[in-house]
């Protein structure tokens, strides 16, 4: 199951990463090459998952978020 989540995240990121750069229209050739040559690895996905978990922990202890949850 965890592998599926990582794979789904990889597919999502790989598909969405170039889109904003193309939409902006002011990208340089160097920027385009950098995006095209970027390789998403399992280590990068694990780093992303750790960062997401850390952000969720920080959110959960935020008093403003706790008050918002109480109102719901």
């Amino acid at each position: 199951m965890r592998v599926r989540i990582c794979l789904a995240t990889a597919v999502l990121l790989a598909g969405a990463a170039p889109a904003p750069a193309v939409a902006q229209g002011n990208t340089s050739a160097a920027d385009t090459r950098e995006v095209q040559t970027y390789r998403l690895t399992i280590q990068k996905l694990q780093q992303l998952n750790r960062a997401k978990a850390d952000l969720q922990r920080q959110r959960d202890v935020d008093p403003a978020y706790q008050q918002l949850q109480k109102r719901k």
Side-chain angles (χ1 to χ4, degrees):
M1 182 70 157
R2 190 173 196 133
V3 173
R4 284 186 183 175
I5 292 172
C6 288
L7 184 58
T9 304
V11 170
L12 176 66
L13 290 175
V22 172
Q24 290 177 4
N26 60 353
T27 59
S28 69
D31 289 339
T32 302
R33 277 193 306 276
E34 184 178 352
V35 170
Q36 289 175 340
T37 59
Y38 181 78
R39 297 293 171 242
L40 189 61
T41 63
I42 292 297
Q43 290 80 14
K44 287 290 183 185
L45 284 174
Q46 290 170 341
Q47 182 181 10
L48 178 64
N49 285 336
R50 284 191 302 271
K52 181 182 171 199
D54 185 45
L55 285 172
Q56 288 173 336
R57 281 190 295 274
Q58 291 178 24
R59 177 201 63 195
D60 291 341
V61 298
D62 182 11
Y65 179 76
Q66 290 173 358
Q67 287 180 351
L68 180 64
Q69 289 300 95
K70 286 179 185 176
R71 282 188 244 157
K72 287 185 177 182

